[in-house]
Amino acid sequence: MKVVLVSYTPDSELIIASSASASYDSKKNFTPEYVSSFLKNLAERGHLSPFEHASFTFDIQGISRACSHQLVRHRIGVAFTQQSQRYTKLTEPHFVTPSTIEQGWEERYADLSLACHRLYREMVEGGIPMEDARYVLPQSFETRIVMTMNARELINASELRLCQKAQWEIRELFENLRSEVKKVAPAIEQMLKPKCYRLGFCTESKSCGLFPTRNKVETKNGSN
Amino acid sequence: MKVVLVSYTPDSELIIASSASASYDSKKNFTPEYVSSFLKNLAERGHLSPFEHASFTFDIQGISRACSHQLVRHRIGVAFTQQSQRYTKLTEPHFVTPSTIEQGWEERYADLSLACHRLYREMVEGGIPMEDARYVLPQSFETRIVMTMNARELINASELRLCQKAQWEIRELFENLRSEVKKVAPAIEQMLKPKCYRLGFCTESKSCGLFPTRNKVETKNGSN
Amino acid sequence: MKVVLVSYTPDSELIIASSASASYDSKKNFTPEYVSSFLKNLAERGHLSPFEHASFTFDIQGISRACSHQLVRHRIGVAFTQQSQRYTKLTEPHFVTPSTIEQGWEERYADLSLACHRLYREMVEGGIPMEDARYVLPQSFETRIVMTMNARELINASELRLCQKAQWEIRELFENLRSEVKKVAPAIEQMLKPKCYRLGFCTESKSCGLFPTRNKVETKNGSN
Amino acid sequence: MKVVLVSYTPDSELIIASSASASYDSKKNFTPEYVSSFLKNLAERGHLSPFEHASFTFDIQGISRACSHQLVRHRIGVAFTQQSQRYTKLTEPHFVTPSTIEQGWEERYADLSLACHRLYREMVEGGIPMEDARYVLPQSFETRIVMTMNARELINASELRLCQKAQWEIRELFENLRSEVKKVAPAIEQMLKPKCYRLGFCTESKSCGLFPTRNKVETKNGSN
């Protein structure tokens, strides 16, 4: 997996802060420290709409089609341009191998993946349209996708995708997105966390241990 | 592929017409004929927002993951609930075979698909998480998805997906959606057409023959 | 203000439950009690996307343009058709008076409102386009809007709009929406609450007293 | 009305072109001329999704609340942060006067507007909450709104809002947006046009004369 931030709103954090301020019309000193604490305060109070004024564009290479299928379920504040398997011939057999499979099953997994790609290539060379030949390719096969996401959706999607219960490949993807954002918007990067940090509790039926589940928080409060 | 309309806005066409009328506040006789011609007129003038007041829910079974990956790219006026390969074990090897492959390649295609499914099953039984084992499954493998779409998006998506240039499986899906809509909303069904019907020209670089490309229409006009 | 539920997804709660179940593929008994507790569980775990399969259409009359301006800021899972002041002449001076104004300022407020409407009427009769004459009308003047909202957005919007800090007219509107939903979908109605019920804390800088602010919850937990 | 472009995706046109190319995976020379004709070609074929990768943020001052109410109806690919009349006191009586009213009705219109603002101020000073006092303000009163729109929605919204049939103030607003975009993205600016340019016909019941209505185009074609 290779994730590169190819474009972004310049001075994104300042743009968010000054947009939000326009709505309250007060004069303010926009030092980096001020902007950072202002953004933190907005997020804590749930005022996330100003975060829609800043966007980040990533070139994402080498994720599986299993992962991209999940990724494109994000619908709000996001744009995707994905490499088409209808028009682009996959000449090389690049595919993703989950680490659980690497231990013991790797050879058969790789052999079958290569066999699928061989049949794909033969069919394409034999005149089968690429859009049909690709049906034989496992969903482990790699794709490339350009994604633009605004800061609000980055925060929101990270709450889901950075959770320990998220599927490993999409979690790894969001960790990469976060690393890229850190280079240009460190205050926003601070907000890219699983939702339990904001809630103070875990919404899953069983917690990973980071925060207690909702029930246990209530018990605790009740005991005071 | 099996598509069943499982729920829909009752009297959908009447709801659209009366919602649109409220915005112009005139009294009207809502005979079925009136509603039908009123909707047609709204659509021709591009006033499609009232069509958002009616929705249709479909249970879609037996489409490939290749097809569902395209389908979920629709983001507006649509909701999806898809069978999860993370939590549901695919016990049977159900997969889609494109008709081009049926002619000559079918045996090798089927053999490889079955081999992939065999390895999938062995890995799951051997303790590999389903969410990882599924990476070996070709994107031909079938999925099930519940989709709710409002009438505006049905019209809009059909303009793209019923085009002769659309990928065959998603075109077949939209033909099935259209058949289901016809049973309960015949005036809306009439609007589910490739976009060339509305435009009077084809936007592709080469036309399928139904309508001339934009350039040729201009030439025609110019010659008058 | 008058709010009437004019259309809705039949058996909305059952549709949500069976859509969500399709994604986990288990067989279930769908008694009303089961459906109700199943929906509650989905919501608590933050799995709200199945709630998008059910929609409700309301005819909303007699809210101010101040209120409708806020209302149309909801962008997701919602459709609006509003009475146009460009094409509909407002023959009668219907306007909203906040209760704070009723005490002491009502006469001058009403006189000015009527004077504005009189000038509006004279200008329209004098040939000024309605779309321009309306500029003189106070934003207290009433409008009519047809709104379709899916259950997910109803839950989400209610979390904001039923809060004690929300503006009084839009809070009253959402209380009316809730009453209408209760008649046909009591389990969904139960979820239409300010967000502090879900969070267990208040995100405002000062709480109304219903739940403590986030800081105080952390202190409590810390003391255990 | 004052419109200032305060932020935008750097090299927006290049970002759109290279995002779109990734999906077809071909190597290309990205001269400005190439980019410009590439974008034009994408738009003509209706492939607008790559245009979502570039965004523009505008500080919009001095539009009426009548206009902002229309503006915020755009829901897709757009973000708004509006000056709140709940929390910001309008100390000065700034309002918009339509040009039709300037001719003959201006004095009465201005007098009433000032009277409304006077009552507003007195009520606020008398302890009425700003959020209630503002009900007396005509919708001609000015507001300030920060808007971020992606290039696809700019194209789409301009097709509606630059039409001669659009309401004059929002048309003027979009002419200002277009002028701002021209400074940094001239190829995109070329696409900000009423939709008749793309269609080759007018969808209104009566044309402004720029293009014939749909019926007449068909007749023309039929006569060939």
Side-chain angles (χ1 to χ4, degrees):
Chain A
M1 183 186 303
K2 191 181 159 197
V3 175
V4 180
L5 179 66
V6 290
S7 179
Y8 56 95
T9 307
D11 299 321
S12 53
E13 298 177 351
L14 188 58
I15 286 295
I16 295 168
S18 52
S19 299
S21 301
S23 96
Y24 302 108
D25 219 36
S26 47
K27 302 279 179 297
K28 282 176 183 149
N29 284 321
F30 289 110
T31 64
E33 292 71 31
Y34 172 75
V35 167
S36 178
S37 87
F38 184 71
L39 262 55
K40 195 162 174 286
N41 188 258
L42 280 175
E44 279 170 5
R45 289 163 60 206
H47 294 186
L48 290 172
S49 68
F51 288 86
E52 298 175 24
H53 294 297
S55 287
F56 300 85
T57 303
F58 306 93
D59 184 7
I60 300 167
Q61 295 184 57
I63 59 168
S64 71
R65 297 269 298 183
C67 184
S68 71
H69 199 323
Q70 285 181 273
L71 183 62
V72 300
R73 291 297 302 275
H74 292 281
R75 292 170 295 181
I76 313 300
V78 68
F80 298 106
T81 305
Q82 186 167 7
Q83 184 187 58
S84 170
Q85 287 186 347
R86 295 184 68 195
Y87 303 119
T88 308
K89 186 174 161 189
L90 295 186
T91 45
E92 297 302 320
H94 294 306
F95 55 89
V96 170
T97 307
S99 61
T100 55
I101 289 174
E102 279 172 7
Q103 297 142 20
W105 300 89
E106 192 168 19
E107 204 177 344
R108 285 179 65 195
Y109 179 87
D111 284 350
L112 256 182
S113 302
L114 292 173
C116 287
H117 185 256
R118 233 173 359 251
L119 178 55
Y120 164 81
R121 271 220 330 231
E122 283 182 53
M123 289 196 294
V124 171
E125 281 153 21
I128 301 295
M130 280 183 283
E131 70 171 32
D132 289 345
R134 69 174 165 140
Y135 275 63
V136 81
L137 294 175
Q139 45 192 353
S140 62
F141 271 65
E142 292 182 2
T143 187
R144 181 181 182 176
I145 195 162
V146 176
M147 176 178 84
T148 297
M149 212 177 233
N150 69 34
R152 182 183 194 169
E153 183 59 14
L154 266 175
I155 293 170
N156 186 50
S158 295
E159 289 205 336
L160 302 174
R161 303 304 192 180
L162 291 174
C163 171
Q164 291 299 316
K165 297 287 174 77
Q167 192 261 347
W168 67 267
E169 193 180 1
I170 205 163
R171 193 170 69 238
E172 188 180 318
L173 169 59
F174 273 81
E175 284 161 1
N176 278 294
L177 298 177
R178 186 173 55 185
S179 299
E180 287 294 293
V181 169
K182 191 174 189 175
K183 298 173 186 167
V184 300
I188 293 171
E189 187 266 344
Q190 284 294 310
M191 296 168 196
L192 306 183
K193 289 177 183 171
K195 67 178 163 182
C196 50
Y197 282 90
R198 174 174 56 87
L199 298 175
F201 57 87
C202 170
T203 58
E204 296 295 319
S205 44
K206 216 180 143 180
S207 166
C208 72
L210 200 53
F211 283 88
T213 55
R214 179 77 156 91
N215 277 352
K216 297 203 177 136
V217 174
E218 288 183 320
T219 312
K220 273 192 187 173
N221 282 346
S223 69
N224 276 288
Chain B
M1 184 186 306
K2 190 181 159 196
V3 175
V4 180
L5 180 67
V6 290
S7 179
Y8 56 94
T9 307
D11 300 321
S12 53
E13 298 177 350
L14 187 59
I15 287 294
I16 295 168
S18 53
S19 299
S21 301
S23 96
Y24 303 107
D25 219 38
S26 46
K27 302 277 180 300
K28 282 176 182 149
N29 283 321
F30 289 111
T31 64
E33 292 70 31
Y34 172 76
V35 166
S36 178
S37 87
F38 184 71
L39 262 53
K40 195 162 175 283
N41 187 259
L42 280 175
E44 280 170 5
R45 289 165 58 207
H47 293 186
L48 289 172
S49 68
F51 287 85
E52 298 175 25
H53 294 296
S55 287
F56 300 84
T57 302
F58 306 92
D59 184 7
I60 299 168
Q61 295 185 57
I63 59 168
S64 72
R65 296 268 299 182
C67 183
S68 70
H69 199 325
Q70 285 181 274
L71 183 62
V72 300
R73 291 297 303 275
H74 292 281
R75 293 171 294 180
I76 314 299
V78 69
F80 298 107
T81 305
Q82 186 167 8
Q83 184 186 58
S84 169
Q85 288 186 347
R86 295 185 67 196
Y87 303 117
T88 308
K89 187 175 161 187
L90 296 186
T91 44
E92 297 302 321
H94 294 307
F95 55 89
V96 171
T97 307
S99 61
T100 55
I101 289 176
E102 280 173 5
Q103 297 142 19
W105 301 87
E106 192 168 19
E107 204 176 343
R108 285 179 63 196
Y109 179 86
D111 285 350
L112 256 182
S113 302
L114 292 173
C116 287
H117 185 256
R118 235 175 354 252
L119 178 55
Y120 164 80
R121 270 217 332 229
E122 283 181 53
M123 289 196 292
V124 171
E125 281 153 21
I128 302 294
M130 280 183 284
E131 70 172 34
D132 289 345
R134 67 172 167 143
Y135 275 64
V136 81
L137 294 175
Q139 46 194 352
S140 62
F141 271 66
E142 292 183 1
T143 187
R144 181 180 182 175
I145 195 163
V146 176
M147 177 179 84
T148 298
M149 213 177 232
N150 70 34
R152 183 185 193 166
E153 183 58 15
L154 266 175
I155 292 171
N156 187 48
S158 294
E159 289 205 337
L160 302 174
R161 304 304 193 180
L162 290 174
C163 170
Q164 290 300 316
K165 297 289 173 76
Q167 192 262 346
W168 67 268
E169 194 180 2
I170 205 163
R171 192 170 69 238
E172 189 180 318
L173 170 60
F174 273 82
E175 284 162 359
N176 278 295
L177 298 177
R178 186 173 57 186
S179 299
E180 287 294 293
V181 169
K182 190 174 189 174
K183 298 172 187 169
V184 300
I188 293 172
E189 188 265 345
Q190 285 294 312
M191 296 169 195
L192 305 184
K193 288 178 183 170
K195 68 178 163 182
C196 51
Y197 282 89
R198 173 174 57 87
L199 298 175
F201 57 86
C202 170
T203 58
E204 297 294 318
S205 44
K206 215 180 144 180
S207 166
C208 72
L210 201 54
F211 283 88
T213 55
R214 177 77 157 92
N215 278 351
K216 296 202 177 134
V217 173
E218 289 184 319
T219 313
K220 274 190 185 173
N221 282 346
S223 69
N224 276 286
Chain C
M1 183 187 304
K2 191 181 159 196
V3 175
V4 179
L5 180 66
V6 291
S7 179
Y8 56 94
T9 307
D11 299 320
S12 52
E13 298 176 350
L14 187 59
I15 287 295
I16 295 168
S18 53
S19 300
S21 301
S23 96
Y24 302 107
D25 220 36
S26 47
K27 302 278 182 298
K28 281 176 183 148
N29 284 322
F30 289 110
T31 64
E33 291 70 31
Y34 172 75
V35 167
S36 178
S37 88
F38 184 72
L39 262 54
K40 195 161 173 286
N41 188 259
L42 281 175
E44 279 170 6
R45 289 164 59 206
H47 294 186
L48 289 172
S49 68
F51 288 85
E52 298 176 26
H53 293 297
S55 287
F56 301 84
T57 303
F58 306 92
D59 183 8
I60 300 167
Q61 296 185 56
I63 59 167
S64 72
R65 297 268 299 183
C67 183
S68 70
H69 198 324
Q70 284 181 274
L71 183 62
V72 298
R73 290 298 301 277
H74 292 281
R75 291 170 295 182
I76 314 301
V78 68
F80 298 107
T81 305
Q82 185 166 10
Q83 183 186 58
S84 170
Q85 288 186 347
R86 294 185 68 195
Y87 303 118
T88 309
K89 188 175 161 189
L90 295 186
T91 45
E92 297 302 320
H94 294 306
F95 55 89
V96 170
T97 307
S99 61
T100 54
I101 288 175
E102 279 173 8
Q103 297 142 19
W105 300 88
E106 192 168 18
E107 203 177 344
R108 284 179 63 196
Y109 179 86
D111 285 351
L112 255 182
S113 302
L114 293 173
C116 287
H117 185 258
R118 240 181 344 258
L119 178 55
Y120 165 81
R121 272 220 329 232
E122 284 181 52
M123 289 196 294
V124 171
E125 282 153 20
I128 301 295
M130 279 184 284
E131 71 172 33
D132 289 345
R134 70 175 165 142
Y135 275 63
V136 81
L137 294 175
Q139 47 193 351
S140 61
F141 271 65
E142 293 183 1
T143 187
R144 182 180 182 175
I145 194 163
V146 176
M147 178 179 84
T148 298
M149 212 177 233
N150 70 33
R152 182 184 195 168
E153 182 59 14
L154 266 175
I155 292 170
N156 187 49
S158 295
E159 288 206 337
L160 302 175
R161 304 304 194 180
L162 289 175
C163 171
Q164 291 299 316
K165 296 290 173 73
Q167 192 262 345
W168 66 268
E169 194 180 1
I170 204 163
R171 192 170 69 239
E172 189 180 319
L173 170 60
F174 274 81
E175 284 162 0
N176 278 294
L177 298 176
R178 186 173 56 185
S179 299
E180 288 293 294
V181 169
K182 191 174 190 175
K183 298 172 186 168
V184 300
I188 293 171
E189 189 265 345
Q190 284 294 311
M191 296 169 195
L192 307 183
K193 287 177 183 170
K195 68 177 163 183
C196 50
Y197 282 89
R198 174 174 55 87
L199 298 174
F201 57 86
C202 170
T203 58
E204 297 293 319
S205 44
K206 218 180 142 180
S207 165
C208 73
L210 202 53
F211 284 88
T213 55
R214 177 76 157 91
N215 278 352
K216 295 200 179 137
V217 173
E218 289 184 319
T219 312
K220 273 191 187 174
N221 281 346
S223 69
N224 275 288
Chain D
M1 184 187 304
K2 191 181 158 195
V3 176
V4 179
L5 180 66
V6 290
S7 180
Y8 56 94
T9 306
D11 299 320
S12 53
E13 297 177 351
L14 187 58
I15 287 294
I16 295 168
S18 52
S19 300
S21 301
S23 97
Y24 302 107
D25 219 36
S26 46
K27 302 280 180 299
K28 280 171 184 155
N29 284 322
F30 290 110
T31 63
E33 291 71 32
Y34 171 75
V35 167
S36 177
S37 87
F38 184 70
L39 263 54
K40 194 163 174 285
N41 188 261
L42 281 175
E44 279 170 5
R45 289 166 57 209
H47 294 185
L48 289 173
S49 69
F51 288 86
E52 298 176 26
H53 294 296
S55 287
F56 300 84
T57 303
F58 306 94
D59 184 8
I60 299 167
Q61 295 184 56
I63 60 168
S64 71
R65 297 268 298 184
C67 183
S68 71
H69 199 323
Q70 285 181 274
L71 183 62
V72 299
R73 291 298 302 277
H74 293 281
R75 292 170 295 180
I76 314 301
V78 69
F80 298 107
T81 305
Q82 186 166 10
Q83 184 186 59
S84 169
Q85 289 186 346
R86 294 185 69 196
Y87 303 118
T88 309
K89 187 175 160 188
L90 296 186
T91 45
E92 296 302 319
H94 294 305
F95 55 89
V96 171
T97 307
S99 61
T100 55
I101 289 175
E102 278 172 8
Q103 297 142 19
W105 300 87
E106 192 169 20
E107 204 178 343
R108 285 179 65 195
Y109 179 87
D111 285 350
L112 255 181
S113 302
L114 293 173
C116 287
H117 185 257
R118 230 167 9 242
L119 178 56
Y120 164 80
R121 269 215 338 227
E122 282 181 54
M123 289 195 294
V124 170
E125 281 153 20
I128 301 296
M130 279 183 283
E131 70 171 34
D132 288 345
R134 69 175 165 141
Y135 275 63
V136 80
L137 294 176
Q139 47 193 352
S140 61
F141 271 66
E142 292 183 3
T143 188
R144 181 179 181 176
I145 195 163
V146 176
M147 177 179 85
T148 297
M149 213 177 232
N150 70 34
R152 182 184 195 168
E153 182 60 13
L154 266 175
I155 292 170
N156 186 49
S158 294
E159 289 205 337
L160 302 174
R161 304 304 193 179
L162 289 175
C163 169
Q164 290 301 315
K165 297 287 173 76
Q167 191 262 347
W168 66 268
E169 193 180 1
I170 205 163
R171 192 168 70 239
E172 189 180 317
L173 170 60
F174 273 82
E175 284 162 0
N176 278 294
L177 298 177
R178 185 172 57 185
S179 299
E180 287 294 293
V181 169
K182 191 174 189 174
K183 297 172 186 169
V184 300
I188 293 171
E189 187 265 344
Q190 283 294 311
M191 296 168 195
L192 306 183
K193 289 177 184 171
K195 66 176 164 183
C196 50
Y197 281 90
R198 173 174 57 87
L199 298 175
F201 57 86
C202 170
T203 58
E204 297 294 319
S205 44
K206 217 180 142 180
S207 165
C208 73
L210 201 53
F211 283 87
T213 55
R214 178 77 157 91
N215 277 351
K216 297 206 176 130
V217 173
E218 289 185 318
T219 312
K220 274 191 184 174
N221 282 346
S223 69
N224 275 288

